[in-house]
Amino acid sequence: QVELVESGGGLVQPGGSLRLSCAASVVSAFTLDDYAIGWFRQAPGKEREGVSCISDSGDVTNYADSVKGRFTISRDNAKKTVYLQMNSLKPEDTAVYYCAAAHALYPGAYYYEGLYGYWGQGTQVTVSS
């Protein structure tokens, strides 16, 4: 069983930065090293979309085109935490951001939600002047 808790959201002006954290507690024989982590977001009135993901070892990362070059995903398995550094934020980045855990990433299906068995409760990010 994996429990995920997001933090770091808030209100920021356009062009600003935020760093989201996804902290994991693993209550089982597995450790965070066994899980790929994905970040998703859902804006009001829109479907949830994949933003970025990172493999269990951290050697594979992927970004949605809308955030490429602005967001950076990283992980510290010793701290059981995955980070999403968000720079040059735009109003259209406003959404609730969720992290989710999957046993593996599959090219071509990085953001297929059916692969993610564990989800956090979300953290609100609002980009506005």
Side-chain angles (χ1 to χ4, degrees), residues 56-77:
D56 53 359
S57 63
D59 58 350
V60 176
T61 59
N62 185 270
Y63 299 91
D65 288 343
S66 58
V67 307
K68 203 170 291 184
R70 300 188 297 122
F71 290 11
T72 303
I73 192 170
S74 62
R75 66 189 300 156
D76 185 337
N77 285 341

Side-chain angles (χ1 to χ4, degrees), residues 68-97:
K68 203 170 291 184
R70 300 188 297 122
F71 290 11
T72 303
I73 192 170
S74 62
R75 66 189 300 156
D76 185 337
N77 285 341
K79 294 183 178 180
K80 299 181 180 179
T81 303
V82 173
Y83 304 97
L84 185 68
Q85 177 67 42
M86 306 187 297
N87 298 328
S88 303
L89 283 162
K90 305 175 181 180
E92 50 263 44
D93 294 318
T94 295
V96 178
Y97 284 71

